[in-house]
Amino acid sequence: APELYNPKEGRIVTANNDPYGHSENPKLSDFEDYFGIGFSTGCRAKRITELLDANKGRIDEKVVASIQLDHKDLVGERLVGVLETALAQPGFSEKLSPDAKRLVDRMLNWKATNFEARRNLKEPVLLYSWFSALSDRQFADIKEPMGEFFEYLKNNTVAYKTVYHKLKDGLAQEASIPETLKNVTETLEIAARGLKTSNTDNSTWGEVRKLKFNNILDGILPTALMFPIPRDGSWDTVDV
């Protein structure tokens, strides 16, 4: 297996990410360099690296604790960046419905809190509703055949990078801008309608994302403190 020994950076960072890039290699040489697709997006490892570098030379227990409890969501930051690029295109915002425009404005407000995935914020709910619509469209052909596994796929590095880079690259190449803007517009409308229909357009992150426990002795021993607990963080923050 690949390994790293005493790197010049003075630290080794891993957080369920693909540290070797093999999951992106289209021509795998049999099983020897295949490590699967079930990796995180890599945003957690990137954020840990950023915070370690920012505190270089003064790492102590307090700093490590602050890193462990960091809730900045780099997925949200990057997708909002793509959204801002789309908004800069002439005539884009005029094509949006009032509900979609409101959704966009509210997602942009997440910048004010530095993309913190806090339980009392509404912006993470809105952003991930849009990301879900983007993923559903991107992988529409395999959603039904994959069944329950599809939700797992949407949370790993392959899905995120496919959706993100298709948008980013599509807006960077003149020939693909119209089709990419159409995709952004339609998925924003889908997300806006879904939020309104499900009455989650004003829900906080803590109301829709809760820590759940499975009691393996349920029915044998009394259940104590097993109810869902609202909490900060996301799948892509250091504190998951």
Side-chain angles (χ1 to χ4, degrees):
E3 61 184 42
L4 193 62
Y5 177 75
N6 195 22
K8 61 180 181 180
E9 293 83 3
R11 40 108 175 113
I12 297 174
V13 176
T14 178
N16 302 112
N17 55 303
D18 174 8
Y20 318 116
H22 291 318
S23 63
E24 300 177 7
N25 183 4
K27 296 182 179 179
L28 298 172
S29 58
D30 203 8
F31 65 89
E32 292 183 359
D33 57 3
Y34 180 68
F35 289 83
I37 64 170
F39 298 100
S40 74
T41 61
C43 288
R44 292 175 60 225
K46 178 177 175 59
R47 182 62 176 158
I48 292 171
T49 301
E50 290 177 351
L51 293 171
L52 287 175
D53 289 345
N55 290 281
K56 190 174 183 178
R58 53 190 182 90
I59 300 292
D60 57 19
E61 184 177 347
K62 185 177 180 179
V63 170
V64 172
S66 69
I67 293 175
Q68 176 60 53
L69 296 176
D70 184 79
H71 297 119
K72 182 173 182 178
D73 192 318
L74 297 185
V75 167
E77 182 179 46
R78 290 179 178 182
L79 288 176
V80 166
V82 167
L83 187 57
E84 289 178 318
T85 301
L87 286 169
Q89 297 295 320
F92 172 75
S93 59
E94 285 76 9
K95 297 178 181 179
L96 297 174
S97 69
D99 285 340
K101 285 183 180 179
R102 180 170 176 265
L103 172 59
V104 168
D105 290 340
R106 295 174 71 193
M107 286 194 291
L108 293 177
N109 287 338
W110 202 4
K111 295 173 63 177
T113 55
N114 196 32
F115 301 98
E116 293 278 333
R118 300 178 194 161
R119 73 190 76 180
N120 64 321
L121 295 180
K122 299 176 181 178
E123 290 83 2
V125 178
L126 308 176
L127 189 287
Y128 278 98
S129 294
W130 179 43
F131 179 67
S132 181
L134 287 166
S135 297
D136 285 347
R137 171 160 293 194
Q138 176 68 42
F139 302 106
D141 293 341
I142 63 173
K143 182 177 181 179
E144 186 174 344
M146 292 190 71
E148 295 180 1
F149 187 74
F150 181 73
E151 293 302 317
Y152 170 76
L153 169 71
K154 287 168 61 175
N155 286 320
N156 72 49
T157 183
V158 174
Y160 162 68
K161 289 184 176 180
T162 300
V163 171
Y164 170 68
H165 285 291
K166 184 173 182 179
L167 292 178
K168 183 174 180 290
D169 296 343
L171 292 172
Q173 301 171 24
E174 187 172 350
S176 59
I177 288 178
E179 184 62 29
T180 304
L181 291 178
K182 182 174 181 288
N183 184 27
V184 173
T185 301
E186 292 178 352
T187 52
L188 284 171
E189 298 289 354
I190 292 171
R193 288 195 300 271
L195 286 162
K196 198 170 185 178
T197 302
S198 62
N199 294 318
T200 54
D201 55 337
N202 281 311
S203 298
T204 63
W205 190 232
E207 289 174 328
V208 301
R209 183 181 188 272
K210 298 180 179 181
L211 183 64
K212 298 180 181 180
F213 297 93
N214 294 319
N215 184 4
I216 61 174
L217 298 178
D218 190 28
I220 301 176
L221 297 178
T223 299
L225 298 178
M226 304 301 287
F227 51 85
I229 303 173
R231 59 158 298 158
D232 301 317
S234 73
W235 286 112
D236 295 292
T237 57
V238 178
D239 183 26
V240 176

